[in-house]
Amino acid sequence: MAKVIQGGKKGKGIKLGVVVSKFNDFITSKLLDGCLEELSKNGVKKSDVIVVWVPGAWEIPIVALQLAKKKNIHGVICLGAVIRGETSHFDFVARGACEGIQEIALSTGKPAILGVLTTDTIDQAYKRSGKNNNKGHDAAIAAIEMVDALKKLKKI
Ligand code: INI
């Protein structure tokens, strides 16, 4: 019988950092609400979550890295909204943020969850930050599951 490992939705005792960008805050504040609500629903204590606001998605990785390096933080959730404009700026910011976040996970061994929307339009961003479809909510679940899965992996 194969040994199967999967992270559960057990948030109790998990300490997380949440980094959220001010740029497009009409979207990112909704991602943050969805994220915090879901963390709480799954047993993560409010006092175990630290939220840091940064200017834009470009600035997310440096702060998320500092948080992820801390002993008492199990993982970080990164929330942002990069919306395509008329220039290639979008591509640089989106790629820098996403690759930076991935690098944090690989260099620290802690989950760094990608909750940065990269959309062509504001409408697409709205659709992914609403009550029923909210990527902040998905990011919260991913963080809890990953912390649990990595904890289990350490034990084998
Ligand atoms: N930052 C975002 O979070 N989303 C965007 O859509 C965006 N665009 O399109 O420019 C954006 N730019 C700002 C960037 O993240 C930095 O804050 C800025 O360049 C200062 O370093």
Side-chain angles (χ1 to χ4, degrees):
M1 181 79 166
K3 191 175 176 82
V4 177
I5 290 180
Q6 197 178 348
K9 288 188 195 166
K10 289 178 264 165
K12 192 165 171 257
I14 294 182
K15 297 183 198 310
L16 296 167
V18 179
V19 188
V20 56
S21 61
K22 281 190 279 182
F23 205 102
N24 293 326
D25 64 354
F26 58 100
I27 297 292
T28 61
S29 57
K30 281 154 30 97
L31 295 176
L32 180 62
D33 289 347
C35 176
L36 295 178
E37 194 180 298
E38 200 57 28
L39 289 177
S40 183
K41 248 193 227 170
N42 287 282
V44 179
K45 273 172 49 184
K46 282 195 176 80
S47 55
D48 284 339
V49 180
I50 175 161
V51 176
V52 183
W53 283 89
V54 295
W58 184 258
E59 284 76 31
I60 289 175
I62 187 170
V63 171
L65 178 62
Q66 290 307 312
L67 288 170
K69 278 181 179 171
K70 295 197 181 292
K71 261 199 171 154
N72 59 348
I73 296 259
H74 298 109
V76 291
I77 298 173
C78 303
L79 304 174
V82 193
I83 301 171
R84 194 178 286 282
E86 286 176 355
T87 69
S88 58
H89 194 64
F90 167 94
D91 300 287
F92 291 107
V93 174
R95 185 166 301 127
C98 295
E99 289 181 357
I101 292 164
Q102 176 71 298
E103 210 177 300
I104 293 162
L106 300 180
S107 66
T108 63
K110 292 182 185 177
I113 305 300
L114 180 64
V116 177
L117 299 178
T118 53
T119 64
D120 287 333
T121 65
I122 290 177
D123 192 50
Q124 288 172 346
Y126 265 121
K127 285 192 175 128
R128 287 158 181 77
S129 57
K131 271 270 162 243
N132 297 324
N133 181 10
N134 186 303
K135 295 295 169 199
H137 159 294
D138 298 353
I141 297 292
I144 293 170
E145 288 186 356
M146 281 302 295
V147 169
D148 191 49
L150 290 172
K151 196 168 130 192
K152 286 174 179 161
L153 264 179
K154 264 191 190 158
K155 290 183 187 157
I156 62 166

